[in-house]
Amino acid sequence: NAGVTQTPKFQVLKTGQSMTLQCAQDMNHNSMYWYRQDPGMGLRLIYYSASEGTTDKGEVPNGYNVSRLNKREFSLRLESAAPSQTSVYFCASSVGTGLTYEQYFGPGTRLTVT
Amino acid sequence: GQQVMQIPQYQHVQEGEDFTTYCNSSTTLSNIQWYKQRPGGHPVFLIQLVKSGEVKKQKRLTFQFGEAKKNSSLHITATQTTDVGTYFCAGPGSGGSNYKLTFGKGTLLTVNP
C-alpha cells in the first residue's frame, strides 16, 4: 500500500496562475483533508471531505476550491495564486467514523508563489 | 471555536535529558491525539488518548490525559537525536466533530548530541 500520495512534490507559480494539487489514498478511508503548514502556525485545515460526495470548509478556505473526485481522490485547486498561499500543503485521510480517526498524511507539496 | 494550546513552542536539550510538551484546551476533549513530524517530513500519528487520567507508554515516550480531559502531556525520557522533530497535539474539531481535528501549533524539539 502506498498510503497517501500527493503530486506534485514542489511547485513554483507566478501570482495569478492557477494549479491543482492532487491527492489519492489507497486505504479505503472515508474522510480526506487538506491542510497548509506555515512556520509557527502549525497545521491549519483548508477543506475536508467527511465522505465521498461531501466537502466542507475548514479554518482557512478562502482562495481555494476542492473536489472529491471519488472515494480515493481529493484535489485542491488554487484559481488565482497569491504570495500569501506560499506554504507546504498536506493531504490526509482517515477512517472517519467514531473515535477511530487518526489521520494519515501524504508527503506534502511545497508551493512557492512569486 | 475549540483550540488546543501547546507549550513550549521550542525546546533544545542535550542528548540524554528529558523533554516534556504540554497541550491545554479551554473545553473538555473527547479524545486527544499526538503526532510527530521530522524535519522536512510529514506528520505521523503516535497515539490517541480517550479516557480521563489515561497514561500510555511507547518505549521512552509517556503520554498522559488529564483527569478533567482538558490537558495532555508527552514526556520523553533520555532524549536521543532520533527524537528531533515537531510534536503536535490534536483534538476534535469544533462542535466535537469526529471528522476533523484541531492541531496545536507544535513543540519543536532539537537535541544536541
Side-chain angles (χ1 to χ4, degrees):
Chain A
N1 285 356
V4 180
T5 56
Q6 291 183 237
T7 55
K9 286 187 168 56
F10 302 93
Q11 184 71 50
V12 179
L13 292 177
K14 294 186 188 301
T15 298
Q17 289 185 319
S18 62
M19 80 162 294
T20 300
L21 281 64
Q22 307 286 355
C23 174
Q25 53 91 11
D26 61 3
M27 295 175 284
N28 200 35
H29 283 171
N30 293 309
S31 302
M32 298 185 74
Y33 315 81
W34 277 105
Y35 293 91
R36 61 177 289 172
Q37 185 174 39
D38 304 294
M41 297 297 292
L43 290 154
R44 293 185 292 171
L45 183 65
I46 305 171
Y47 271 93
Y48 70 103
S49 171
S51 60
E52 186 179 357
T54 69
T55 60
D56 284 287
K57 295 178 180 179
E59 183 184 354
V60 289
N62 291 347
Y64 306 95
N65 285 301
V66 291
S67 295
R68 183 75 183 265
L69 304 169
N70 47 56
K71 192 171 186 179
R72 290 187 63 248
E73 298 172 290
F74 189 38
S75 63
L76 178 71
R77 183 160 178 83
L78 286 70
E79 289 291 352
S80 179
S84 60
Q85 293 179 305
T86 293
S87 188
V88 180
Y89 291 86
F90 288 102
C91 177
S93 71
S94 68
V95 172
T97 55
L99 292 176
T100 308
Y101 61 106
E102 65 261 34
Q103 295 190 5
Y104 295 80
F105 286 79
T109 294
R110 283 148 182 81
L111 174 67
T112 301
V113 183
T114 62
Chain B
Q2 183 167 280
Q3 287 187 329
V4 285
M5 307 300 292
Q6 203 171 344
I7 56 171
Q9 192 173 359
Y10 307 97
Q11 185 78 57
H12 178 75
V13 299
Q14 290 291 126
E15 189 171 21
E17 292 182 338
D18 292 356
F19 159 77
T20 305
T21 175
Y22 301 89
C23 190
N24 299 297
S25 171
S26 58
T27 59
T28 301
L29 301 168
S30 59
N31 63 351
I32 194 160
Q33 298 180 359
W34 286 91
Y35 291 78
K36 177 183 178 181
Q37 183 178 23
R38 295 183 188 274
H42 59 276
V44 175
F45 173 79
L46 293 176
I47 208 159
Q48 177 171 260
L49 304 172
V50 179
K51 299 177 183 176
S52 169
E54 190 170 16
V55 178
K56 287 188 176 180
K57 294 190 175 184
Q58 291 180 349
K59 297 183 181 178
R60 294 176 295 103
L61 278 61
T62 301
F63 303 84
Q64 295 190 6
F65 203 9
E67 294 290 342
K69 301 182 74 173
K70 289 187 175 182
N71 57 71
S72 181
S73 65
L74 159 59
H75 179 81
I76 303 178
T77 303
T79 54
Q80 300 175 358
T81 54
T82 54
D83 296 324
V84 164
T86 301
Y87 293 85
F88 294 97
C89 62
S94 58
S97 167
N98 280 346
Y99 293 108
K100 54 180 180 174
L101 298 177
T102 299
F103 282 82
K105 292 186 178 180
T107 296
L108 172 61
L109 171 65
T110 56
V111 179
N112 197 29

